[in-house]
Amino acid sequence: VWSLTLVRTAPDCGGAENRGRCQRGKCACRPQFRGTNCELCRLGFAGENCSFTCSLHGCNGHGRCRGTGICECAQGYARTKHGTCAACPAGTYSNATGMAECLTCPSGSSSAAASIAQTDCTCDSGYTGPDGGQCSACVAGTYKEVEGSHACTLCAKGKYSTEMGKVSEATCTGCPPNTDSLLGSHTITNCR
């Protein structure tokens, strides 16, 4: 007498490749996989039955859809918590594709929105230094009205300024009557 026993084998859900896992004899696939064995969706599609695309997800024209169904944002943009691509705000930059967060400009500098390199960070008014580098406050006796790597301007002869990081010539105070000072004087005692 022959006895026939059917052995039910679990499907290959690609657990070793992290495509999905078996639950109650069926595959529970990750979003970019589908089917009875969690096959990879074709490029640019994801979700149930591979019907979801990045364009629906919202790359906003500032990135490309990866095979995983996730937006790979262009330089100057970063992925939001909702998976879309948003421009890096002023004072930040993104120098590579696919960044999840924008990088902050060095202290004393700022950049325009959607900046793509650290060198887009230029020193603020009242600060000086190389584009993309560390910016230092203009020392006492100087000021800087414009943004960028320009040098700070010395207070005129016969004036002085005791404060750092000033943005206007108006911060240079005139010496008392019958006294004079050299260019870039930083204290009233320089008035002689």
Side-chain angles (χ1 to χ4, degrees):
V1 172
W2 288 80
S3 159
L4 184 61
T5 305
L6 292 174
V7 177
R8 189 174 191 180
T9 60
D12 175 17
C13 299
E17 295 89 24
N18 203 20
R19 296 189 322 250
R21 65 180 198 273
C22 185
Q23 289 182 336
R24 297 184 185 137
K26 292 186 178 181
C27 289
C29 303
R30 290 183 55 224
Q32 65 268 34
F33 301 97
R34 58 108 172 91
T36 56
N37 293 319
C38 294
E39 298 92 15
L40 181 64
C41 295
R42 75 178 193 265
L43 187 64
F45 288 81
E48 189 175 349
N49 300 319
C50 293
S51 60
F52 178 80
T53 67
C54 286
S55 60
L56 294 175
H57 197 354
C59 291
N60 306 353
H62 300 294
R64 64 185 179 136
C65 188
R66 296 181 64 193
T68 58
I70 295 172
C71 293
E72 184 178 75
C73 301
Q75 288 181 315
Y77 294 80
R79 203 169 40 251
T80 68
K81 65 181 179 181
H82 303 294
T84 61
C85 294
C88 290
T92 66
Y93 65 96
S94 163
N95 58 2
T97 58
M99 292 185 69
E101 293 180 358
C102 300
L103 303 171
T104 304
C105 286
S107 177
S109 67
S110 58
S111 65
S115 290
I116 63 169
Q118 185 170 339
T119 53
D120 292 336
C121 300
T122 58
C123 292
D124 297 328
S125 300
Y127 289 80
T128 188
D131 291 344
Q134 188 60 44
C135 297
S136 303
C138 292
V139 297
T142 67
Y143 62 94
K144 185 173 152 227
E145 296 177 333
V146 296
E147 296 177 358
S149 59
H150 311 288
C152 299
T153 304
L154 298 172
C155 285
K157 189 174 181 305
K159 295 186 174 191
Y160 68 96
S161 173
T162 60
E163 299 179 62
M164 295 178 62
K166 291 304 167 187
V167 299
S168 169
E169 193 274 334
T171 60
C172 299
T173 306
C175 285
N178 303 317
T179 64
D180 200 8
S181 67
L182 299 174
L183 289 170
S185 293
H186 57 85
T187 177
I188 193 169
T189 58
N190 294 140
C191 299
R192 308 227 170 153

